Amino acid sequence: MRIVVVGGVAAGLSAASRARRLDPAAEILVFEKGKRISYGACGLPYLLEGQVSSIDELVVYRPEFFEKERNIRIRTESEVIAVHHARREAVLRSGERVRYDRLVWAAGARPSRASSAPRVFRLHTDADALRLLEFLEREKPRTATVVGGGYIGLEAATALRARGLRVRLFHDATTLLNREDPWLTKLVAGRLEQCGVEVRLNERADPETADAGLVIDATGLRPNVEVLAEAGAALGRTGALAVSERMETSLHGVFAAGDCCEARHVVTGRDVWIPLGTTANKMGRVAGANAAGRRERFAGVAGTSIVRVAGLAVAATGLSQQQARREGFSPVEAVVEGRERARYFFGKSLAVQLVADRGSRRLLGAAAVGDDGVLARINTVAAALAAPMDVETFAGIDLAYAPPYSTVADPLLVCAQQLLRLLDH
């Protein structure tokens, strides 16, 4: 059997590796349109900032590793431009036609709009980052405009400010990170302003005409679905590929994983498109297993994420209050500010939000913002959402305590108790 995988980063290589472990005899071929495979795209902002010295540090594996150690053929700079599923055939830009028995589409996503302007940049691929670094070294701009207040926009603003540029950040909404949480936006924008980034909320800016030495266009992504859609694969309500819990598209024997496809949200049960690297890896494992003949299912996503903004950790999982209301819940929100560890161990401020449904008292989501201690808290809530837990159960969970690591009343449980009082009111 020949398994063809399109995409050689997170989802694609997870799929290929999982398929190989389950089927030692299969022929597995991976096509990647870029020059590199298996690199940490999430590290690109830190390459820009200077905390990573070269793009090579972000490369996890090279093609020869997969070919020698896993018997997986890798072909870089090979773009699949068409799929003829009736003939089980993928067509490369070179004109070459490649037969497959099973296909895994892991082609990811791309910036929502294209630009050829010489001073407008994205920070999506390794090639984007290298082009930007070359421009910075050659032109030595003193000012930068970042358009977009999502993860990439905030990380890019942080990195450029750390390099000494004067940075303005424009975002066309009143809240950052698509959370619709004013308290969170206030903390994040405040930290950026403290670090010298001018934050302009609820203002549109055109990357093509922005007045700055360089411009970062971080206005969003769109899934790479066109080739598979033309082959007959169905799209979901979000515009990404619709897949079953086995990661199979509407084309029998064609699977999809990563930023190109939807997933079931563990809180709402509805299909969503939340492009994240951790999700792509897990999706890829399931897609690869099923392409190799197993019957495995993907458990779904809560959108759990964390981003560093000017040294501040900002994390979220599940639904905000506003998102929960749109999904038909009757949400109640509590926000508390505590410390991530004991004061006498130099504990720093930690803000925590919990959201629950008034009727069922089910936990719906959370966010946390602080200099430290954020990751453990958001991961705890993510596990509770997957359970799923109600607020009473969550408020009683047995969390570890020692002064160097936490406070005796953890901010999460303090917030849960506050939420219980609001639910009982």
Side-chain angles (χ1 to χ4, degrees), residues 1 3 15 19 23 102-104 246 253 255 286-294:
M1 179 173 69
I3 299 172
D23 188 347
R102 302 282 174 84
L103 178 67
V104 178
R246 298 179 61 242
F255 301 84
V286 174
N290 292 322
R294 284 287 185 95

Side-chain angles (χ1 to χ4, degrees), residues 145-385:
T145 290
V146 177
V147 183
Y151 305 112
I152 298 299
L154 297 183
E155 288 178 321
T158 298
L160 291 169
R161 185 70 192 107
R163 291 181 69 102
L165 280 74
R166 289 188 289 114
V167 181
R168 289 192 302 173
L169 173 73
F170 288 88
H171 186 53
D172 62 0
T174 58
T175 52
L176 297 167
L177 292 168
N178 299 316
R179 275 298 287 189
E180 301 175 85
D181 282 325
W183 69 273
L184 184 150
T185 293
K186 181 179 179 181
L187 291 174
V188 174
R191 175 60 68 91
L192 285 168
E193 295 277 6
Q194 287 176 12
C195 293
V197 176
E198 181 184 350
V199 180
R200 308 281 288 273
L201 296 177
N202 209 26
E203 288 190 37
R204 292 184 179 274
D206 183 353
E208 303 293 317
T209 60
D211 181 21
L214 72 86
V215 179
I216 302 293
D217 184 349
T219 52
L221 302 174
R222 66 174 62 180
N224 288 321
V225 301
E226 289 80 3
V227 170
L228 221 54
E230 289 174 6
L235 302 183
R237 70 185 187 98
T238 68
L241 290 165
V243 292
S244 69
E245 64 180 7
R246 298 179 61 242
M247 308 309 299
E248 190 169 21
T249 70
S250 61
L251 301 176
H252 180 65
V254 177
F255 301 84
D259 294 354
C260 60
C261 67
E262 296 181 335
R264 183 185 63 86
H265 199 286
V266 298
V267 175
T268 67
R270 302 182 69 189
D271 290 329
V272 293
W273 183 59
I274 304 177
L276 292 170
T278 52
T279 303
N281 273 293
K282 288 178 282 194
M283 284 179 165
R285 286 177 54 83
V286 174
N290 292 322
R294 284 287 185 95
R295 293 195 63 84
E296 296 186 2
R297 61 181 293 272
F298 181 63
V301 300
T304 308
S305 62
I306 186 167
V307 62
R308 190 178 71 175
V309 183
L312 192 68
V314 185
T317 188
L319 307 177
S320 69
Q321 185 178 36
Q322 291 81 359
Q323 291 167 339
R325 186 172 291 113
R326 284 200 301 273
E327 292 291 341
F329 294 101
S330 179
V332 178
E333 172 193 75
V335 179
V336 302
E337 188 166 325
R339 292 183 180 274
E340 40 83 28
R341 55 186 169 182
R343 183 187 298 270
Y344 52 87
F345 268 100
F346 309 102
K348 297 180 180 179
S349 175
L350 175 68
V352 173
Q353 171 214 52
L354 291 174
V355 179
D357 178 52
R358 181 176 293 279
S360 66
R361 303 171 79 88
R362 177 187 176 189
L363 199 60
L364 301 178
V369 180
D371 290 285
D372 203 358
V374 170
L375 180 66
R377 270 76 180 197
I378 209 66
N379 283 343
T380 300
V381 183
L385 295 181

Side-chain angles (χ1 to χ4, degrees), residues 129-151:
L130 292 174
R131 175 175 169 257
L132 175 55
L133 286 171
E134 181 184 331
F135 180 88
L136 285 164
E137 292 299 320
R138 184 180 71 250
E139 302 296 332
K140 295 180 172 50
R142 293 183 294 177
T143 62
T145 290
V146 177
V147 183
Y151 305 112

Side-chain angles (χ1 to χ4, degrees), residues 36-60:
R36 291 179 180 82
I37 64 161
S38 187
Y39 69 90
C42 294
L44 294 177
Y46 309 110
L47 176 66
L48 174 61
E49 188 172 336
Q51 292 194 342
V52 176
S53 61
S54 76
I55 193 73
D56 290 335
E57 287 190 36
L58 300 180
V59 175
V60 182

Side-chain angles (χ1 to χ4, degrees), residues 16-92:
S17 297
R18 178 73 170 147
R20 169 56 70 226
R21 282 191 289 271
L22 296 175
D23 188 347
E27 180 185 2
I28 302 176
L29 179 58
V30 177
F31 291 105
E32 165 56 43
K33 71 177 182 179
K35 293 182 178 180
R36 291 179 180 82
I37 64 161
S38 187
Y39 69 90
C42 294
L44 294 177
Y46 309 110
L47 176 66
L48 174 61
E49 188 172 336
Q51 292 194 342
V52 176
S53 61
S54 76
I55 193 73
D56 290 335
E57 287 190 36
L58 300 180
V59 175
V60 182
Y61 295 114
R62 300 185 187 281
E64 49 268 28
F65 168 84
F66 283 93
E67 293 172 358
K68 181 179 178 181
E69 301 295 330
R70 298 184 181 175
N71 191 25
I72 296 171
R73 291 173 57 202
I74 306 289
R75 291 180 54 179
T76 57
E77 298 182 90
S78 299
E79 183 179 4
V80 174
I81 61 168
V83 169
H84 302 308
H85 187 55
R87 299 196 294 270
R88 299 298 194 273
E89 188 177 78
V91 182
L92 303 186

